[in-house]
Amino acid sequence: MTVAGASPSPTARRGRPGYDQQSVLAVAVAAFNRYGYEATSMGMLAEELGISKSAIYHHVPSKGDLLRLALDHALGGLESILDDPRAGEGAADARLEFVLRGTIAVLTERLPFVTLLLRLRGNTEIEREALERRRTFDRQIAALVDAARQEGSIRDDIDPRTTTRLIFGTINSIVEWYRPGGPLTADKLADDVILMVFDGLHRR
Amino acid sequence: MTVAGASPSPTARRGRPGYDQQSVLAVAVAAFNRYGYEATSMGMLAEELGISKSAIYHHVPSKGDLLRLALDHALGGLESILDDPRAGEGAADARLEFVLRGTIAVLTERLPFVTLLLRLRGNTEIEREALERRRTFDRQIAALVDAARQEGSIRDDIDPRTTTRLIFGTINSIVEWYRPGGPLTADKLADDVILMVFDGLHRR
């Protein structure tokens, strides 16, 4: 697993001697999701990696930095969708579909990182900053939903806030069950979600 | 807040001296959802209620019993939907809609209890038993989805397992944001979810 779009380095593979920040981060995120951030110690991560505690500090100054890097990987992926010209040009409906497909792609590619982001409770300053970035992202999607409704492509008998929450609920719940590498590819999953959300499950 | 369909007793109101099992349970469920089951002690619940620890044990023998009662309240509500004749008679599509509306009603009426159920990790025997009951409920919905697909009312270009997961994801995510007593009633929410899931958000 690599982060921030970096290509895999030879030392990034798990289970091999010699770790880099990326591989330490992957192990940390798995532990945060499993035991909770508070309950995870640098000692536990060192043991998991089979290295000394001081060796971990060689890669990252603190547990908080691991959390910050992990959340930034999830948020950076989501934010970059909105930087794409396809998120800003053309009909709101097509822009909304582009952004939702992008969100599903980031979610499936960076599954443990987005899982961590979605489970945040905001107990620390790092978490609160990440939640604020997530809210900013959510508000931009809500604005797209509003625009699609105003252009007449989205139904107006559901409150726009409910519409946005149902869309997010459907997409975010994917982290609870989707496992990459199985028979359902990320692309087919995105097709399925877009189909249900926009056209519904009823056969016509 | 009352449980197991009991009507509110005069002693069930919070903030009044004199508690019954129902009100102790309501406080316990709120604490379990906030701090986690493991991290919640009977001492914390006593403090929250403003009563002594021994007074709590007068109402319920152990913390595990509070968890079991809480999960049974959520599961009992869900299971009773399937006992209704409308869940078993007529077209599969109408039966599925009835069951989904019922699920949303239980979820909104027993919000903290269903939230607790949905966040279970299965660390204890009580949790594992509840998860098994939940899986049985989920399997019955999956069978209804299959039946609706076979009768031709539900689209067949999405894998039935994906269909079921997306429906559950959409409905279960309601616990993350819905707050009873606001402008969105539980009935309107159920209409909205059924509309999006079956007919889609696109205007036609």
Side-chain angles (χ1 to χ4, degrees):
Chain A
M1 181 184 301
T2 61
V3 292
S7 55
S9 78
T11 55
R13 296 193 201 107
R14 282 184 63 180
R16 288 185 52 151
Y19 289 96
D20 59 11
Q21 198 183 66
Q22 259 72 305
S23 50
V24 172
L25 190 53
V27 168
V29 169
F32 294 164
N33 282 331
R34 185 162 183 184
Y35 309 109
Y37 172 69
E38 311 288 348
T40 303
S41 67
M42 291 293 259
M44 286 163 72
L45 297 179
E47 195 170 328
E48 180 83 16
L49 288 156
I51 60 177
S52 68
K53 252 174 95 167
S54 61
I56 284 205
Y57 289 109
H58 174 73
H59 296 295
V60 65
S62 72
K63 192 173 79 158
D65 285 287
L66 285 169
L67 181 63
R68 194 176 40 72
L69 286 167
L71 294 172
D72 186 58
H73 186 49
L75 287 161
L78 294 172
E79 288 160 354
S80 71
I81 302 164
L82 296 170
D83 294 337
D84 190 292
R86 285 168 288 181
E89 292 162 10
D93 189 46
R95 284 188 283 142
L96 179 60
E97 179 176 328
F98 172 79
V99 171
L100 297 184
R101 283 183 184 275
T103 302
I104 296 165
V106 169
L107 190 149
T108 52
E109 280 162 22
R110 304 184 185 190
L111 196 65
F113 297 86
V114 178
T115 303
L116 185 67
L117 176 67
L118 292 175
R119 291 189 187 156
L120 281 194
R121 292 273 167 247
N123 294 327
T124 65
E125 192 53 34
I126 294 166
E127 290 173 75
R128 283 189 289 275
E129 276 172 25
L131 282 177
E132 188 47 46
R133 277 173 75 184
R134 184 180 153 195
R135 272 191 291 269
T136 301
F137 178 78
D138 288 1
R139 272 194 294 269
Q140 288 173 281
I141 311 285
L144 261 182
V145 169
D146 277 345
R149 184 188 169 100
Q150 272 162 37
E151 80 181 10
S153 11
I154 290 252
R155 56 192 323 144
D156 59 7
D157 47 359
I158 303 181
D159 184 280
R161 284 162 305 178
T162 307
T163 306
T164 305
R165 279 164 164 161
L166 290 178
I167 292 174
F168 273 115
T170 305
I171 290 179
N172 292 344
S173 68
I174 292 170
V175 302
E176 303 297 334
W177 60 271
Y178 183 71
R179 294 297 165 262
L184 180 61
T185 65
D187 282 348
K188 173 70 168 112
L189 173 63
D191 288 344
D192 292 349
V193 171
I194 294 297
L195 210 52
M196 181 184 92
V197 166
F198 288 119
D199 296 328
L201 293 174
H202 270 164
R203 215 159 149 169
R204 257 165 269 282
Chain B
M1 180 182 307
T2 60
V3 290
S7 55
S9 78
T11 56
R13 294 191 203 111
R14 283 183 60 177
R16 287 187 55 151
Y19 290 96
D20 58 11
Q21 197 184 66
Q22 259 73 305
S23 50
V24 172
L25 190 53
V27 168
V29 169
F32 294 164
N33 282 331
R34 186 162 181 185
Y35 309 110
Y37 172 69
E38 310 288 348
T40 304
S41 67
M42 290 295 259
M44 287 163 70
L45 298 178
E47 196 170 328
E48 180 83 15
L49 288 156
I51 60 177
S52 67
K53 253 174 90 168
S54 61
I56 283 205
Y57 288 109
H58 173 74
H59 296 296
V60 66
S62 71
K63 194 173 79 159
D65 285 288
L66 284 168
L67 181 63
R68 195 177 37 74
L69 285 167
L71 294 172
D72 186 57
H73 186 48
L75 287 161
L78 295 172
E79 288 159 353
S80 71
I81 303 164
L82 296 171
D83 294 336
D84 191 291
R86 286 169 288 181
E89 291 163 11
D93 189 46
R95 285 188 282 143
L96 179 61
E97 180 176 329
F98 172 80
V99 171
L100 296 184
R101 283 184 185 274
T103 302
I104 296 166
V106 169
L107 189 149
T108 52
E109 280 161 22
R110 306 184 183 190
L111 196 66
F113 297 86
V114 179
T115 302
L116 185 67
L117 177 67
L118 292 176
R119 291 189 186 156
L120 280 194
R121 293 273 169 251
N123 295 326
T124 64
E125 191 53 35
I126 294 166
E127 290 173 75
R128 282 188 290 274
E129 275 171 25
L131 283 177
E132 188 47 46
R133 277 173 74 183
R134 185 181 153 198
R135 271 191 290 268
T136 301
F137 178 77
D138 288 2
R139 272 193 294 267
Q140 287 173 280
I141 312 285
L144 261 182
V145 169
D146 277 345
R149 185 190 170 99
Q150 271 162 35
E151 80 182 10
S153 12
I154 291 254
R155 57 192 320 144
D156 59 6
D157 47 359
I158 302 180
D159 184 279
R161 283 163 304 178
T162 308
T163 307
T164 305
R165 279 165 165 161
L166 291 177
I167 292 174
F168 273 115
T170 306
I171 291 180
N172 292 343
S173 68
I174 292 170
V175 302
E176 303 296 335
W177 59 271
Y178 184 71
R179 294 297 165 263
L184 179 61
T185 65
D187 282 347
K188 172 71 169 111
L189 173 62
D191 288 344
D192 292 351
V193 171
I194 294 295
L195 210 51
M196 181 183 92
V197 165
F198 287 119
D199 296 328
L201 293 174
H202 271 165
R203 215 160 148 167
R204 259 164 267 281

